[in-house]
Amino acid sequence: MKLPVLTTTSNSRERLSVISEFLGVNSNIRISEGESFDMQNMTNDYFPVFGNRKRRGIINTLTNPMGVTGGDKLAYVDDNKLYYDMTKVMDLAATNKERQLVMMGAYLCVFPDGVVYNTTNGTSQTIQNTNTTTGAITMRMCKLDGTEFTDQNTHIGTTAPSNTTQYPYWLDTSNSKNVVLKMWSSTYSMWTSVATTYVKISSTNIGKGFKEYDSVKISGIRIKGYNDYEFNDTLIVYAAANDYIIVAGLMDLYYQQAANYPVTVSRELPKMDYVCEYNNRIYGCRYGTNNAGDFVNEVYASKLGDPTNWNAFPGLASDSYIASCGSQGEFTGIVAYQGYVFFFKEEGFHKLYGSQPSNFQMIWRPCAGVAKGSSKSIAIVNEVLFFKSREGIIAYDGSENKISAKIDTVPHFDAVACSYRNKYFVSMRDQQYVYKMYVYDMTKGSWCIEDDMRCKYMVYADNAAYLIAFDNTMYAINNEYIYLYNFPSNDLFPADTLFPGYTNLAPYEDKIQWSFITSDLGLENPYNKYVKRINLRMQLDISTKVKIEVEYDSSGDWEYVTEHYANKKKSYEIPIQVRRADHIRLRLSGWGEFRLFSITRAVEGGSGEDEGQ
């Protein structure tokens, strides 16, 4: 007896495909399976697992932040007040100007105010210092220690004095074009020339605010010294007190100038667009008018070890430095990197190298430079220089590499950035003034998007990344334990380790909402194959919620599938049935601690599969 043969449906054409590595965001049309088309508040810290970012610490709410710098301690200006290590240290001039802060050893320098604050002893001084006399001035020949030459001990004439005991000094005027001060040497029984002669200029408060070896500009003196020596010039101060300064010079023993002819002594600071520190000097650049109203295109360096002197040129290794540039366009940023100082413009950079002004050399390299408005995008991560150019984010280590192709589907502007460990954080806007916080992880070579924070300043300091938003909130990121705990319970910042001195005072952001959109699943399937079902393998912490939606064939409509709320920490295997479509995308969103381990797809062939094989 023959029995009927039953025909069964074969699953031989069903194939499983697993996505187990998540590669960050890629906003281009065609992306790989492990990438996300868009995301919010996600991180690749757990690679290959995907998860939400950690909450930031809220350090403070400022009044009007105006500048910031990092280093061992955080320094910033808020509402014209200078803060160092979270403590107010001094008031600055009341102005709406943005400040640039630079650390040089123990000195915290504030520009354009020209204030130098000593972080070790709490004293401060100003770079610019100008004194104008209101009374008479006197000028006397003197020694370096201030001892004056008088007509009782100094002979003036064309012939030497016969009484060398009474006149051990002789101002030899026998050659009117080469007057020389000489002193009697009892050892050799002869007159010897004094190599350097000095003049003490005295008047009430004329030396106030000046110090030894300052370079000052003097004007208003109505005489010249011997040998046509010009006192109205930039001179070195060899000694100073409130009522006098001592400079090099040669003149008659005594001169007095009436009060109605005032004398001005000033120490000047050049106008600079951007400043940085390197090798115990402050460097700056300027494209525009200088203090005198003349147009300049110049770079500057302060005197070695002295941020208050920018016009010291006695021919020493410690001299200041000024050089003109031949390149066109405004400066857009500055940084010290790999033993050089880079002065950026949009079309390239000037690179200055050398150990002292006598061997400084500067070259111009045409390339992608820092974009206008993105001077704050410059940061160094793992010895690689990052910055925002007009073309995108550049990683420079001797050669330029654009690393932002995955997020450059729209142009970006006004970038502000900082480094933290192996990451480059950058906040920037698109043409519609929509801001996003992008994070590039060097070790993984991938981008993630955090939130829509518009940052005014960002800086790495005191073992943390500090972010100052446009609403004046100061946040901090410090992930010391991010790799030790997958799901920290209540505290992102374990006690006493991450914010030295501030840990226990820092509240955290509110519970953040996260989301991400997968790549198009199914576009890569040939021969009429389609996605039949999807399994999501994930882990949720307590009080975490996840919602899953699906979009079919790029319709723009998101259809609700399911949602889960975890009342305890556990792993989930969530199956999703999907209807037949050319391709689909998933959107997962929620709040709380979330980890995605894999996306498994069951792919089945359609009626045309056998024909194509």
Side-chain angles (χ1 to χ4, degrees):
M1 178 177 179
K2 294 185 178 180
L3 296 176
V5 178
L6 297 178
T7 303
T8 60
T9 301
S10 172
N11 289 325
S12 61
R13 292 184 296 173
E14 182 176 292
R15 301 287 185 271
L16 296 180
S17 176
V18 180
I19 301 173
S20 58
E21 289 189 353
F22 298 92
L23 307 173
V25 70
N26 188 340
S27 300
N28 289 281
I29 295 176
R30 190 73 177 97
I31 65 177
S32 66
E33 286 188 337
E35 294 176 322
S36 301
F37 180 76
D38 195 11
M39 66 175 65
Q40 182 179 21
N41 287 319
M42 302 300 292
T43 182
N44 52 14
D45 285 330
Y46 314 100
F47 179 83
V49 178
F50 206 27
N52 61 288
R53 71 167 175 86
K54 298 302 179 185
R55 291 183 296 164
R56 305 173 184 127
I58 300 176
I59 302 301
N60 200 356
T61 300
L62 307 182
T63 302
N64 181 22
M66 308 173 82
V68 66
T69 192
D72 289 340
K73 302 295 182 182
L74 178 68
Y76 60 92
V77 175
D78 182 29
D79 196 27
N80 297 307
K81 300 174 180 64
L82 179 63
Y83 290 79
Y84 180 73
D85 194 21
M86 300 297 179
T87 302
K88 177 189 167 184
V89 294
M90 65 180 300
D91 291 311
L92 301 174
T95 175
N96 289 325
K97 291 183 179 179
E98 186 175 59
R99 274 43 176 237
Q100 294 186 70
L101 278 62
V102 180
M103 289 298 304
M104 192 182 87
Y107 295 129
L108 173 56
C109 307
V110 184
F111 299 93
D113 301 69
V115 171
V116 179
Y117 173 75
N118 189 318
T119 60
T120 59
N121 59 25
T123 61
S124 64
Q125 57 183 314
T126 58
I127 298 176
Q128 298 182 105
N129 186 52
T130 300
N131 298 328
T132 300
T133 61
T134 56
I137 69 161
T138 59
M139 299 175 64
R140 297 177 183 272
M141 288 286 295
C142 69
K143 298 180 181 180
L144 182 58
D145 62 3
T147 303
E148 298 174 358
F149 296 104
T150 68
D151 52 10
Q152 277 75 43
N153 61 13
T154 305
H155 173 73
I156 302 177
T158 58
T159 60
S162 57
N163 188 346
T164 57
T165 302
Q166 180 181 357
Y167 297 108
Y169 300 98
W170 169 34
L171 195 57
D172 183 359
T173 59
S174 58
N175 184 346
S176 60
K177 295 183 180 180
N178 186 26
V179 177
V180 180
L181 178 65
K182 297 179 179 180
M183 63 181 296
W184 178 254
S185 173
S186 57
T187 302
Y188 299 102
S189 298
M190 63 181 294
W191 291 97
T192 59
S193 298
V194 178
T196 306
T197 57
Y198 302 93
V199 173
K200 179 188 284 186
I201 306 174
S202 302
S203 186
T204 303
N205 290 330
I206 193 172
K208 187 176 181 179
F210 295 114
K211 63 183 184 303
E212 185 180 28
Y213 301 126
D214 271 350
S215 178
V216 299
K217 185 176 181 180
I218 301 176
S219 61
I221 294 178
R222 297 176 60 82
I223 65 163
K224 282 188 176 183
Y226 286 120
N227 310 324
D228 279 334
Y229 189 87
E230 181 60 75
F231 290 101
N232 295 313
D233 202 349
T234 300
L235 304 177
I236 301 297
V237 173
Y238 290 94
N242 274 358
D243 296 333
Y244 72 85
I245 59 173
I246 294 177
V247 299
L250 185 64
M251 54 169 282
D252 279 334
L253 298 183
Y254 177 80
Y255 168 76
Q256 181 169 345
Q257 184 168 300
N260 58 333
Y261 296 109
V263 172
T264 298
V265 183
S266 61
R267 185 178 59 216
E268 297 184 342
L269 171 67
K271 285 185 179 179
M272 293 181 288
D273 301 322
Y274 302 101
V275 292
C276 75
E277 184 276 336
Y278 175 65
N279 270 2
N280 211 22
R281 295 181 193 267
I282 304 293
Y283 291 82
C285 53
R286 174 65 175 170
Y287 185 89
T289 55
N290 61 12
N291 292 326
D294 300 320
F295 180 84
V296 296
N297 184 11
E298 294 177 336
V299 302
Y300 310 93
S302 72
K303 185 179 175 182
L304 182 67
D306 185 356
T308 65
N309 275 280
W310 295 79
N311 294 287
F313 306 107
L316 305 175
S318 60
D319 280 2
S320 308
Y321 178 75
I322 299 177
S324 295
C325 300
S327 59
Q328 297 181 349
E330 300 175 15
F331 289 101
T332 55
I334 188 174
V335 69
Y337 175 66
Q338 287 188 341
Y340 309 99
V341 180
F342 291 77
F343 303 91
F344 282 101
K345 297 190 174 186
E346 279 201 317
E347 303 297 337
F349 56 75
H350 290 279
K351 183 164 69 171
L352 179 68
Y353 58 96
S355 59
Q356 59 190 42
S358 62
N359 63 23
F360 277 170
Q361 296 184 57
M362 190 163 57
I363 62 172
W364 165 255
R365 176 174 173 178
C367 58
V370 174
K372 290 182 181 179
S374 293
S375 63
K376 299 172 190 171
S377 69
I378 301 171
I380 298 173
V381 186
N382 290 355
E383 300 182 3
V384 177
L385 177 64
F386 288 79
F387 58 87
K388 171 67 176 69
S389 72
R390 288 188 298 189
E391 290 75 19
I393 303 297
I394 300 296
Y396 176 85
D397 58 1
S399 61
E400 291 195 344
N401 301 285
K402 179 182 173 183
I403 60 168
S404 57
K406 293 183 178 181
I407 61 173
D408 282 340
T409 52
V410 296
H412 293 100
F413 310 90
D414 300 339
V416 179
C418 76
S419 65
Y420 178 70
R421 304 294 173 82
N422 58 336
K423 292 184 177 183
Y424 177 70
F425 288 77
V426 57
S427 169
M428 51 189 177
R429 67 170 177 87
D430 61 18
Q431 291 172 305
Q432 305 303 317
Y433 282 82
V434 175
Y435 283 82
K436 289 185 179 181
M437 177 71 75
Y438 297 89
V439 182
Y440 180 75
D441 191 313
M442 280 193 65
T443 60
K444 304 172 183 71
S446 60
W447 287 93
C448 285
I449 301 176
E450 294 199 344
D451 55 10
D452 58 357
M453 180 183 289
R454 180 185 179 186
C455 279
K456 187 178 291 187
Y457 302 103
M458 298 170 66
V459 70
Y460 178 83
D462 199 15
N463 199 35
Y466 290 88
L467 288 62
I468 301 178
F470 256 76
D471 65 0
N472 298 334
T473 303
M474 179 189 290
Y475 298 90
I477 301 169
N478 192 314
N479 298 335
E480 286 282 351
Y481 289 85
I482 199 167
Y483 298 107
L484 299 182
Y485 301 96
N486 279 338
F487 303 103
S489 55
N490 295 322
D491 294 321
L492 171 60
F493 312 119
D496 303 326
T497 57
L498 304 181
F499 291 116
Y502 306 100
T503 304
N504 298 328
L505 301 179
Y508 315 124
E509 289 177 296
D510 292 335
K511 186 178 290 186
I512 57 175
Q513 295 189 358
W514 50 262
S515 66
F516 68 94
I517 299 172
T518 67
S519 61
D520 291 317
L521 305 178
L523 278 180
E524 75 289 347
N525 295 333
Y527 314 126
N528 294 324
K529 292 182 180 179
Y530 64 95
V531 178
K532 182 179 180 181
R533 67 179 183 275
I534 296 175
N535 276 27
L536 300 177
R537 179 70 174 172
M538 65 182 68
Q539 191 177 57
L540 305 181
D541 199 5
I542 186 171
S543 301
T544 296
K545 178 181 178 181
V546 60
K547 181 172 72 171
I548 303 171
E549 300 165 283
V550 62
E551 178 196 46
Y552 294 96
D553 295 336
S554 302
S555 65
D557 298 323
W558 291 96
E559 299 183 12
Y560 171 85
V561 176
T562 185
E563 63 184 42
H564 283 260
Y565 182 83
N567 55 15
K568 65 179 180 178
K569 177 182 176 180
K570 64 175 292 186
S571 297
Y572 293 85
E573 184 86 24
I574 301 178
I576 301 174
Q577 293 291 334
V578 295
R579 66 173 183 262
R580 185 165 180 170
D582 178 68
H583 60 276
I584 64 173
R585 289 196 299 182
L586 299 178
R587 181 167 69 186
L588 278 69
S589 59
W591 63 76
E593 294 294 331
F594 162 84
R595 304 290 181 268
L596 179 63
F597 290 93
S598 65
I599 300 176
T600 303
R601 297 168 300 154
V603 180
E604 188 170 71
S607 60
E609 177 184 10
D610 295 332
E611 298 175 4
Q613 288 181 331

